[in-house]
C-alpha cells in the first residue's frame, strides 16, 4: 500500500506542471475555429494531466502471465477486441477507465521489459498498417520506438528498417529495441540515421509497408513547455512542419512498392499537419489512392472518441474524460 501511495504522490508531483499560456492562447485561436464546440472539452483533458490515462502494451517476447492476471485484478481490460479487420493474437494491450500511470520499468542491459507504457491511440497507426509475416517494412521516423515495438508484436517482417534522423532520438530508439526485442530478432532490424526525405531516392520501391509517424506539433507536450522562449520558437516553426511532412510522405511513396501501403500519423489536432497534408499528397501524386479505415474506427469506437466529418481514409482521435487517448491522426494510402 505504501509503495503504491509513494508512486501515486510521485506521479502527482510530476504531473502538476504549469500550462504554457502562449501555447494555450495559440491553440485556443486555431482549434476553436477547426473543432468548434468540441475544443473546450478536449482542452479540459489536455490541460489536466491528472486525468490522462496510460495503456500497457505487453511484450510477447517476455513471459507476462503473472502480469496479465494482476492487470485483470486491477480492473484493466483489453483495449482492442473483436470486430477489428486486423488484430494478431499475440498483440495484447490493456487499459482501464480510471486515470493514473502504471509504474514504468527501467532499462536493464540483457533483460527484456515485460510491457511498454503508451497512449493507446498511438497503436491505431500500427493496426491500420496491417503488417504480415515476411513483408519488408519501413518505420521512417521511428524514435522513441513504441510503434516499432508494436509492429514486432504483430508480425515477423522479412526485413524491418527503423530510421531516425535525430542523433539523440536515434540512441533512444536503439535502447527501446534493446529493451524489448530478443537477440535473434534484432538481426532482422536495420537501424539507420538517414534524412527521411531522401530515403525514397536511396531505396526506391523496396518496401511493402511504410509507417510515417511524422514529426509534428505535439499538442500534449507543447502545452507544458517550461521555457517561454522555446515555446515561442516552436510556434513559429510550426508553420514549416507541414512542408516537412509532405516531403517525408513523398519520400515514403517512392520507397513503397506498387501495391504496397502507407500509414501517416501525427499526435496533433492541427488540420494543417493532418488532412491538409494528405489532401495535398492525393492531389499531387497520381500513383497513390486512399484506403478506407472506417471499419477499424467503428470497431474501436467504444474505447476511442473520434472527430466527426472525416473522410473514410482518415481518423482523428479526440481526448475526452474517461477516454483520454489522443490526439492521434491516422490516414492510410496505397501505391498503385
Amino acid at each position: 500500500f505504501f509503495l503504491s501511495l509513494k508512486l501515486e504522490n510521485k506521479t502527482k508531483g510530476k504531473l502538476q506542471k504549469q500550462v504554457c499560456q502562449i501555447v494555450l492562447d495559440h491553440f485556443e485561436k486555431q482549434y476553436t475555429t477547426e473543432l468548434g464546440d468540441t475544443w473546450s472539452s478536449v482542452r479540459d483533458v489536455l490541460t489536466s494531466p491528472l486525468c490522462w490515462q496510460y495503456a500497457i502494451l505487453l511484450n510477447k517476447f517476455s513471459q507476462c502471465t503473472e502480469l496479465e492476471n494482476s492487470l485483470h485484478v486491477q480492473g484493466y481490460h483489453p483495449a482492442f477486441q473483436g470486430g477489428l479487420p486486423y488484430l494478431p493474437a499475440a498483440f495484447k494491450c490493456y487499459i482501464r477507465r480510471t486515470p493514473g500511470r502504471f509504474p514504468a520499468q527501467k532499462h536493464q542491459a540483457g533483460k527484456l521489459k515485460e510491457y511498454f507504457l503508451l497512449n493507446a491511440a498511438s497503436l491505431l497507426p500500427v493496426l491500420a498498417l496491417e503488417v504480415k509475416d515476411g513483408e519488408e517494412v519501413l518505420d521512417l521516423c521511428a524514435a522513441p520506438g513504441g510503434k516499432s515495438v508494436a509492429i514486432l508484436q504483430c508480425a515477423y517482417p522479412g526485413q524491418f528498417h527503423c530510421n531516425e534522423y535525430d542523433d539523440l532520438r536515434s540512441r533512444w530508439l536503439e535502447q527501446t529495441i534493446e529493451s524489448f526485442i530478443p537477440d535473434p530478432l534484432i538481426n532482422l532490424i536495420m537501424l539507420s540515421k538517414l534524412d527521411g526525405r531522401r530515403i525514397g531516392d536511396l531505396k526506391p520501391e523496396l518496401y511493402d509497408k511504410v509507417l510515417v509517424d511524422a514529426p509534428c506539433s505535439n499538442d500534449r507536450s507543447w502545452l507544458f513547455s517550461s521555457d517561454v522562449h522555446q515555446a515561442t520558437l516552436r510556434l513559429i516553426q510550426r508553420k514549416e512542419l507541414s512542408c516537412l511532412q509532405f516531403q517525408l510522405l513523398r519520400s515514403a511513396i517512392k520507397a513503397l512498392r506498387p501495391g504496397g501501403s502507407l500509414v501517416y500519423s501525427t499526435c496533433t489536432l492541427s488540420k494543417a499537419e493532418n488532412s491538409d497534408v494528405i489532401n495535398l499528397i492525393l492531389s499531387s501524386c497520381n500513383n497513390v489512392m486512399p484506403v478506407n479505415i472506417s471499419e477499424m474506427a467503428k470497431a474501436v469506437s467504444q474505447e476511442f472518441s473520434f472527430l466527426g466529418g472525416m473522410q473514410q481514409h482518415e481518423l482523428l482521435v479526440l481526448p475526452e474524460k474517461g477516454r483520454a487517448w489522443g490526439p492521434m491522426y491516422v490516414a492510410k494510402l496505397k501505391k498503385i
Side-chain angles (χ1 to χ4, degrees), residues 74-326:
Q74 292 177 60
Y76 282 86
H77 63 273
F80 305 101
Q81 298 185 58
L84 271 161
Y86 171 86
L87 186 65
F91 188 86
K92 290 180 180 177
C93 175
Y94 284 88
I95 58 173
R96 64 176 177 182
R97 289 281 166 157
T98 48
R101 186 173 187 150
F102 205 70
Q105 290 180 311
K106 284 198 167 76
H107 171 73
Q108 289 175 276
K111 190 171 190 293
L112 293 182
K113 290 186 182 182
E114 292 182 317
Y115 57 87
F116 197 106
L117 294 180
L118 38 64
N119 184 325
S122 67
L123 295 171
L124 292 175
V126 172
L127 294 174
L129 197 61
E130 302 191 21
V131 175
K132 311 277 194 303
D133 288 351
E135 289 182 324
E136 307 286 313
V137 182
L138 167 64
D139 189 349
L140 192 71
C141 316
K147 292 182 181 69
S148 300
V149 166
I151 285 169
L152 289 167
Q153 304 303 311
C154 294
Y156 295 96
Q159 190 203 316
F160 191 23
H161 181 177
C162 297
N163 181 69
E164 179 53 55
Y165 186 47
D166 182 88
D167 207 43
L168 189 68
R169 286 172 64 81
S170 179
R171 288 202 291 277
W172 190 3
L173 169 67
E174 217 167 301
Q175 194 180 79
T176 302
I177 298 287
E178 231 176 84
S179 292
F180 286 90
I181 310 303
D183 274 346
L185 194 57
I186 280 184
N187 301 335
L188 285 181
I189 303 167
M190 181 179 118
L191 292 173
S192 68
K193 290 194 278 189
L194 299 165
D195 181 341
R197 293 168 295 187
R198 296 192 59 230
I199 281 184
D201 292 324
L202 296 170
K203 298 178 180 294
E205 302 197 342
L206 200 68
Y207 303 99
D208 301 294
K209 302 278 164 73
V210 179
L211 175 64
V212 184
D213 185 43
C216 65
S217 37
N218 184 325
D219 294 356
R220 270 186 197 241
S221 67
W222 281 26
L223 272 167
F224 295 93
S225 305
S226 51
D227 181 336
V228 175
H229 174 70
Q230 185 202 38
T232 311
L233 200 64
R234 277 175 166 171
L235 292 174
I236 292 165
Q237 292 170 337
R238 191 177 202 214
K239 298 183 183 104
E240 295 157 26
L241 278 168
S242 56
C243 179
L244 169 65
Q245 291 154 349
F246 177 78
Q247 290 170 328
L248 288 169
L249 269 172
R250 284 288 295 263
S251 175
I253 291 162
K254 284 182 186 175
L256 258 188
R257 288 183 177 139
S261 50
L262 170 157
V263 168
Y264 173 74
S265 60
T266 74
C267 51
T268 180
L269 298 160
S270 176
K271 186 172 171 286
E273 297 175 52
N274 295 338
S275 300
D276 289 356
V277 174
I278 291 295
N279 289 339
L280 187 58
I281 279 288
L282 287 169
S283 62
S284 61
C285 301
N286 58 8
N287 61 342
V288 284
M289 58 182 279
V291 177
N292 188 341
I293 54 170
S294 60
E295 277 305 304
M296 182 182 82
K298 203 165 120 190
V300 296
S301 59
Q302 276 221 277
E303 302 296 353
F304 298 92
S305 175
F306 297 105
L307 179 68
M310 301 293 278
Q311 295 182 79
Q312 289 188 320
H313 60 272
E314 59 177 358
L315 56 87
L316 179 61
V317 179
L318 300 176
E320 62 173 40
K321 283 197 173 98
R323 300 194 291 181
W325 314 114

Side-chain angles (χ1 to χ4, degrees), residues 56-71 92 94 105 112-115 153:
I56 299 159
L57 176 68
L58 300 191
N59 184 11
K60 72 176 181 185
F61 306 111
S62 176
Q63 292 306 307
C64 314
T65 322
E66 266 180 55
L67 172 63
E68 225 170 324
N69 295 336
S70 156
L71 288 173
K92 290 180 180 177
Y94 284 88
Q105 290 180 311
L112 293 182
K113 290 186 182 182
E114 292 182 317
Y115 57 87
Q153 304 303 311

